[in-house]
Amino acid sequence: MCGIVGYVGPRKAAPVLLEGLAKLEYRGYDSAGISVRDGRNDPVTVKVKGRLSGLVQKTNGGEDVPGCCGIGHTRWATHGEPSETNAHPHVSPDNMVVGVHNGIVENYQELRGKLERKGYTFYSQTDTEILIDLVDYYYRKYKVGPIDALAKTMVRVRGSYALAVMFKDYPDVVFAMRKDSPMIVGRGKNESFLASDVPAILKYTRDVYYVDNLEMVRLSGSGITFFNLDGDVVDKELSHIDWDAEAAEKGGFEHFMMKEIYEEPKALQDTLNSVLGENGIDFGKIGLDDETIRGISDITVTACGSAYHTGVVAQYVTESLTRIPVRVELASEFRYRDPILRPGTLVIIISQSGETADSLAALREAKARGAKTLAIVNVLGSSIAREADYVYYTLAGPEIAVATTKAYSAQLMALYTLAVKFAFVRGTISEERYAQLLEELAKLPEKTGRILEKKEKIQRLASEKCAEKDIFYIGRGIDYAVSLEGSLKFKEISYIHSEAYAAGELKHGTISLIEEGTPVIGVITQEKTAEKTVSNMVECQSRGAYVIAVTREGLESLVPTADYVLTLPAADELFMASVTVVPLQLIAYYVSVSKGLDVDKPRNLAKSVTVE
Ligand code: AGP
């Protein structure tokens, strides 16, 4: 996820662009840049690696960059390491087209080949440079103007984009096109604004247009014109924003955590799409070829916190599909316990930030012992990404809330694709089971999204029944694994004691803590163990617990005695953790909100624990 801005009007553009980018840094912050035109002069482009503050310093707050027409970008790298070269804006030959982009070009390799055959060369590793050169190609070839060039580009590109460009032949005009990535356009007196999100322009105008998919826009000081894919002018309704700036940065959500829960379906979709090729899952970009996959003798997964919990889910899923022995270790333990690794061991390090000290140390320990290492990380160019032998990037976008949600979900998706691909390559699943599992993965985003329709119901349950002295989560197998995450979410943002237990284990001690009204959440999505877990819930209920069954369609008849039943959409049982985790995240969120706590920045915690 990145942030883009554009301006054209009577003001000096650079300061306006920088102010707008500052309001969008939550969307990405590994590099930034602006490009400003002063009349017919070529654009002046200034870029920095690192935070926006470096760009502000480099341009003296924008005062050193002349001109009243410009675009800007703050980056969350998806293709190409964070660097000044890869920072946006990107330019085509002779500065014919300069642009900034938020989104992902899925077929960028194919387009790169096409452009190379037309004589284009590339200076960066980004998909955006290819997108800009494609606009340039159509503009030069058909000579029918910018809107036509953009329309032809939209037809050819697969992926998502909010693209803002300036053409050398059109001074004092910004053009844009949009598909799936957000874009708004603001109207002021003799001036026009463009941005990824409302906060960037609230200082100047509250009158905005929301750009729809496959629409193009022409912005000038005198007005704004919208076009459809056929190049016809379309009329759009002007909206008036009455949010305050702070609320607007969260896209209207009260907290980043809820915003990021809503982004989980897209995080799942983008992560899955990033490894889908012509014939299913393709790890070519990661470098995991079939021979390497066949050579794996065993897998050790190591991580911390929620990332560790995805490893516990992966153990069940991966062993079930591939029959490869999988061990899951806390990174803080792994690094000190003289682990036994074999030449065929694959060590998988999972980390949203890619900077967690214990996980980085575990990676180094694994490499020192000769194991192959695969990192699953959400931040491009992070330390763990740079040091691992293979890197699998989750495409969850920047996660601002300290309590992870969408990154956890994206990590699960990455781990599922590894298990499915490994099983298929090693022949432990048939062609039809492979196809069926791929179909199931493709349905997960929609099923996850459907749960959000029940959030008011979950809010009532959370605030009425869960804000007690203790709360327990129980489950078996994958249901136990996801209970670990539900319990951690609850603890870290509501400050209430919680424990997750293998359902069969509760009676060996901890059940003594169950009192009248103690909430016990029983996760029951695995048919094979459902009745056992129901029995464990009844044991708790007979001791006064308020038992909440979180189950799926097809199993709800097994839980007649529960005090509360939450039924979820059914997915393949191997992937049910992705569906189950959402209500557990929401329960934690609503209890925290009901207690008036700082949901996004809980006490004592940090988003990335870079110390031991
Ligand atoms: C998750 O809600 C926590 N904030 C924490 O457990 C986190 O998952 C853990 O610190 C690992 O962080 P990483 O994924 O960035 O390595």
Side-chain angles (χ1 to χ4, degrees), residues 139-158:
Y139 179 74
R140 292 175 195 263
K141 178 173 180 181
Y142 294 98
K143 298 183 176 40
V144 196
I147 292 298
D148 174 72
L150 291 174
K152 286 179 169 59
T153 303
M154 283 204 282
V155 169
R156 194 71 181 73
V157 168
R158 235 186 20 255

Side-chain angles (χ1 to χ4, degrees), residues 434-507:
Y434 178 60
Q436 184 198 40
L437 289 168
L438 287 179
E439 257 180 58
E440 282 293 324
L441 290 177
K443 291 176 190 167
L444 277 181
E446 186 271 334
K447 289 180 178 174
T448 305
R450 277 210 334 250
I451 296 157
L452 297 169
E453 294 159 13
K454 301 185 174 199
K455 71 180 172 62
E456 284 74 20
K457 183 174 181 223
I458 295 168
Q459 180 172 12
R460 256 195 322 281
L461 167 69
S463 39
E464 289 168 9
K465 295 295 179 188
C466 297
E468 301 296 330
K469 177 165 75 72
D470 284 314
I471 182 168
F472 293 87
Y473 296 72
I474 63 173
R476 291 167 185 263
I478 287 171
D479 290 340
Y480 164 60
V482 75
S483 295
L484 290 167
E485 179 57 13
S487 174
L488 176 62
K489 283 282 99 39
F490 198 92
K491 279 182 277 197
E492 65 178 326
I493 63 174
S494 74
Y495 311 159
I496 293 174
H497 171 255
S498 164
E499 287 191 58
Y501 254 79
E505 186 59 17
L506 200 63
K507 56 185 175 294

Side-chain angles (χ1 to χ4, degrees), residues 304-307 350-354 356 402-404 411 488-489 492 609:
C304 301
S306 295
I350 307 168
S351 174
Q352 188 285 131
S353 62
T356 298
V402 166
T404 183
Q411 287 161 3
L488 176 62
K489 283 282 99 39
E492 65 178 326
V609 184

